[in-house]
Amino acid sequence: MVALTGVALATACTDTVAGTAAPAAGATTTASADVFAGLNACQLLDQLNAGQGFNPGENKSARNQCTASKPEFITYSLALDSTQGLSGFAADNTGAREISINGRDALQADIPTGGCSVAVGVGEHALALVLATMARASEDAQGCPNAQAFAEKVEPLLPAG
């Protein structure tokens, strides 16, 4: 079986093309390139929450993450992480469940202090993380449905994975 694979590969690679190999325009050549370059978590959060009574998004760290609250209802957080993929999220969140967000691989996990997180895969080493925390602990059961619904709004704005 291995010999057949080697023969097929040799046959498939016999044509040559003149010129110098180079990445396609806009392609990145390092694994550490930020797939979210040009995307700002607060701008996305504010865009998606516009006209719904949310406070403006706040970023309280150097990371590309943002939090916005609608008083007496919910807080959404969005983090655009270009270093951790879904496998890293799964390792950090035991009990994470596989889901799909608009056809993309994603994971969902309960937040131990209340609420829910949804990580949407953006390539092997990147993800968009949506957190939903309800204003009242008695409404925690709505955290995951709200996190999924918000992730479905975020997903079309993400780069292709």
Side-chain angles (χ1 to χ4, degrees):
M1 195 70 124
V2 174
L4 292 177
T5 302
V7 171
L9 288 176
T11 303
C13 297
T14 57
D15 292 341
T16 59
V17 176
T20 304
T28 56
T29 57
T30 62
S32 62
D34 185 356
V35 298
F36 298 113
L39 285 180
N40 179 288
C42 282
Q43 289 174 350
L44 289 178
L45 200 58
D46 289 345
Q47 174 186 339
L48 295 171
N49 288 332
Q52 299 178 44
F54 281 84
N55 296 328
E58 287 186 70
N59 184 339
K60 297 180 180 180
S61 76
R63 296 175 48 137
N64 193 359
Q65 60 188 26
C66 195
T67 299
S69 298
K70 183 174 183 177
E72 302 300 316
F73 177 55
I74 195 167
T75 298
Y76 285 124
S77 297
L78 175 63
L80 302 177
D81 189 338
S82 61
T83 61
Q84 174 182 256
L86 291 177
S87 61
F89 180 84
D92 292 342
N93 294 277
T94 50
R97 298 172 296 284
E98 291 182 12
I99 61 172
S100 176
I101 298 294
N102 298 340
R104 282 196 205 227
D105 290 340
L107 293 171
Q108 175 182 303
D110 294 325
I111 300 171
T113 56
C116 186
S117 58
V118 172
V120 181
V122 182
E124 185 178 347
H125 300 289
L127 59 78
L129 182 63
V130 171
L131 292 93
T133 307
M134 303 307 295
R136 292 175 202 80
S138 62
E139 297 174 350
D140 269 354
Q142 293 303 308
C144 284
N146 284 323
Q148 282 185 20
F150 198 79
E152 289 171 356
K153 293 179 184 178
V154 170
E155 186 278 330
L157 304 175
L158 300 174

